[in-house]
Amino acid sequence: MSNFLSHISKILPENEIEDFAKSCNLPVSKSIRFFSYAKDEKKKVGYEGDFYKLENKIDWAEDGFYLEKNSKPSKSLDYIRGDFYIQDASSMYPVAKLKKIIPNNMDINYILDYASSPGGKTTQLADYFPNSIVLANDVIKGRINAILTNLFRSKLKNVILLNEDFQFYYDLPLKYDIILADLPCSGESLIYKKKTSIYDWSFNEVLFNAKRQKKISGNLLNLLNDNSYFIYSTCTFSKEENEDIVDFLIENKLNLIHNKRLWPHKDRCAGGYSAILKKEETENNSKNVYHQKETNKKIEFVDNQTEKLIKMLSKNPYFNIEKIINSGYLYFKKNIIFLFPFPKILKPIFENAISIGQALAKLEKYGTIPLWGSIDYANEQYVLKFDKKTIYKLAEGSDLKELSMKFDNQYLVAADDEASLFLLKKTGNGIKNLIPNFMIVQSS
Ligand SMILES: C[S@@+](CC[C@H](N)C(=O)[O-])C[C@H]1O[C@@H](n2cnc3c(N)ncnc32)[C@H](O)[C@@H]1O
């Protein structure tokens, strides 16, 4: 037996070890999680979208489905539309469970997802808790693009993306009602995906990760509000990286509400561990969103600049001003106009944010130009419906030839029967497709 399997045999009954070992070398069933804004008629077993078909519902996740084997969800227009996130079923577990546990009437002001990239759980949190501000952080700069592209594809507006270390959060005058610590781990559930072998496993790596997990979790504990929830999760099985960290959190006065280890050989997922803990009310009953670390330091906010920015956007008839006003508040940062559902943002968060909600437009010398995030906020006359063939051409990145209609504005939106899909630019030579490279669907 490999070192890995003998290590796992401490937490798994002997008669399951063989099945577990086999499953480590097998691909996992593909699964997707629909966002709440996607049409309900799609969220049914048997639904067949382009390039994918829903096979079974995932037991534990609202709107989570396994796909039929030949599905290629990343090629689907529904994916471009931002209808769903491609996510392993085990990764959906912790946030789905929290949603079931947390009281419906609880005020959840701020959520911190400290290790958020590529954004599976961030987008789930933001979708399930739309009245909260979700701070999605990743300390590794090279990982920011992955979550940025996933946020870009979604229609979520309540996420602020940051690339900061713990000290930044420690210095903020904020407490969180939910903290998610989905921490870097030894990745024992990713053996097949990483194309490694069970023989590459090392106990030292487990111990190295456990030490780091304990340090990060210990730091994050200090940021919890009274009556708040802490989700701890990993995609690994070892007790040292899971229960031992949870024991440490319990020693630090959190109550364990729920924990679960999912296994690839019996739970139809890659597997992993998660725990939901609660910080109860403390003696001084301090249910505060903002707290002042230095008593005489003023808490500063950046106010939205909706009125002024609406004036700027109004100069371009492309923008549907009424819809924008009804959807949130506008902020201006580094020449970008962002749409965000809350009227003010703490100053240090605003100043350090990489993205705030949806990026709608960019201010250039000659006016305000639409960005991709604006495709749902274009006036009707700029939204052109195309047939399926043309829409797939656009999905593959092709430009289009000249249109017969005349436009006094150079930005247009391409839509199918269901929704807006692509941003286009009318030029002298035809219609330029502004689809970003990462969204282009490869034809095969
Ligand atoms: C398990 S992944 C997060 C997955 C993500 N929550 C999701 O659901 O899509 C862990 C993340 O931790 C980040 N990370 C790596 N080293 C770290 C460190 N020393 N402290 C905090 N985060 C770290 C990685 O960049 C990675 O994105």
Side-chain angles (χ1 to χ4, degrees), residues 85 87 91 113-122 138-140 143 180 182-185 212 216 235:
Y85 191 99
Q87 187 177 25
S91 169
D113 181 356
Y114 183 66
S116 66
S117 186
K121 298 179 190 76
T122 300
D138 207 283
V139 299
I140 310 281
R143 298 272 294 165
L180 168 64
D182 187 36
L183 298 186
C185 65
R212 179 164 64 181
I216 301 172
C235 48

Side-chain angles (χ1 to χ4, degrees), residues 94 230-233 246 256-260 273-277:
F230 189 89
I231 312 180
Y232 178 77
S233 58
V246 168
L256 179 62
I257 309 279
H258 173 85
N259 69 343
K260 176 93 175 163
Y273 175 90
S274 55
I276 297 174
L277 300 107

Side-chain angles (χ1 to χ4, degrees), residues 31 64 99 141 188 261:
S31 51
K99 180 78 191 326
K141 204 166 185 186
E188 289 162 347
R261 186 181 273 94

Side-chain angles (χ1 to χ4, degrees), residues 416-428:
D416 64 1
D417 287 339
E418 201 183 314
S420 293
L421 277 160
F422 304 104
L423 186 65
L424 310 174
K425 185 178 179 185
K426 190 175 184 299
T427 66

Side-chain angles (χ1 to χ4, degrees), residues 355-366:
S355 77
I356 301 167
Q358 290 279 351
L360 277 192
K362 193 171 181 188
L363 183 68
E364 301 231 323
K365 262 187 255 147
Y366 44 87

